Amino acid sequence: MSSTASLEHSWMNGLTQGVPIAAGYIPAALGFGLLGANSGLSIVETALMSIIIFSGAAQYMALGLITAGAGLYSIWVSTFLLNIRHLLMSASAKQIFSSASKWNQAVLAFGLTDEVFALISARKDKTNIFFGIGVFLAAYISWVAFSCAGYYFGALFPDYLQISMDFALYALFAALLFPMILKYRMALYTAGLSAAINTLLGLWIPSGWAIPTAMTASVFIVVYASSLKQEKESQP
């Protein structure tokens, strides 16, 4: 591999490419830190949630449940259902990095947030496990550091800014996801089908069940339909 190719696949390049994600995490991390302080958590507890869990949606949900007085089992089940999509993302990432060591795969699996996965998937033909780990490190350092900063300094921000902080995470994910959806038709079909199924299921069951069910069902339906199409096209 040439030096240029090595640089393209290096963790330092991943760290550089992950800077937009790191920047996008800042307002959401600040918001989480502020919420942790307002919920009565200590700075150590707030920091450990970001260090160990590293999942913005799950951390926000857990804080809400803690504040509401929910038990440990309820918190565990709720966050598990919310993050069940990571099973699908991990399975996809394993196909991309199947030749990497188990240790490196485990490190990336821990850091596989929605935004990290979106960037890696968009560059799957131009990357390796070290690039992925670099992207993860950029996101991780930003999330942990600004969660702690938000704990101490979040209350100094204006009220309108505090309210808008948690929206930044979803805006960042959309910005990373849309180019991939436009490029790959299967991603577009999966996203559209998932939205339709979730809308229908939401009429009868709680969103905590509707969202992961819709995501899982849409993936299986699109993959199955694609395999049938390929099989049909391969027949003489």
Side-chain angles (χ1 to χ4, degrees), residues 2-235:
S2 66
S3 58
T4 302
S6 297
L7 181 60
E8 174 72 13
H9 293 78
S10 70
W11 70 270
M12 278 298 296
N13 187 41
L15 198 66
T16 302
Q17 295 295 321
V19 168
I21 296 178
Y25 276 8
I26 292 175
L30 289 171
F32 172 74
L34 172 63
L35 187 59
N38 293 341
S39 300
L41 297 185
S42 68
I43 179 60
V44 174
E45 291 168 334
T46 302
L48 283 176
M49 285 189 72
S50 290
I51 292 170
I52 298 173
I53 300 175
F54 186 47
S55 174
Q59 290 175 226
Y60 271 97
M61 173 181 280
L63 274 184
L65 292 172
I66 291 171
T67 304
L72 180 61
Y73 178 75
S74 298
I75 296 173
W76 182 84
V77 171
S78 298
T79 53
F80 173 78
L81 291 175
L82 179 66
N83 286 331
I84 200 170
R85 68 191 185 282
H86 288 281
L87 295 176
L88 302 176
M89 291 193 296
S90 296
S92 177
K94 182 172 177 58
Q95 297 301 315
I96 300 174
F97 304 119
S98 58
S99 61
S101 70
K102 299 297 183 183
W103 167 251
N104 286 331
Q105 288 185 27
V107 172
L108 183 59
F110 171 74
L112 204 61
T113 64
D114 297 321
E115 295 77 21
V116 172
F117 176 74
L119 179 57
I120 291 173
S121 297
R123 292 174 51 93
K124 63 181 180 180
D125 297 328
K126 301 178 181 179
T127 188
N128 66 2
I129 193 72
F130 300 107
F131 176 88
I133 291 175
V135 176
F136 149 58
L137 287 175
Y140 186 66
I141 292 170
S142 174
W143 182 258
V144 173
F146 286 98
S147 292
C148 296
Y151 187 92
Y152 286 116
F153 306 114
L156 300 178
F157 296 121
D159 292 340
Y160 70 88
L161 188 58
Q162 295 180 25
I163 294 173
S164 64
M165 281 179 179
D166 57 348
F167 176 74
L169 195 62
Y170 302 101
L172 172 65
F173 179 58
L176 291 169
L177 182 63
F178 285 162
M180 184 173 62
I181 288 179
L182 295 175
K183 184 177 180 180
Y184 301 104
R185 286 187 297 173
M186 282 188 63
L188 178 61
Y189 298 153
T190 304
L193 183 60
S194 180
I197 295 175
N198 177 63
T199 301
L200 292 175
L201 291 179
L203 299 176
W204 295 284
I205 63 177
S207 60
W209 287 100
I211 293 174
T213 302
M215 291 174 60
T216 305
S218 63
V219 170
F220 279 111
I221 292 172
V222 171
V223 170
Y224 180 69
S226 177
S227 64
L228 289 180
K229 181 180 178 181
Q230 291 179 355
E231 182 178 345
K232 184 177 180 180
E233 291 176 348
S234 63
Q235 294 178 352

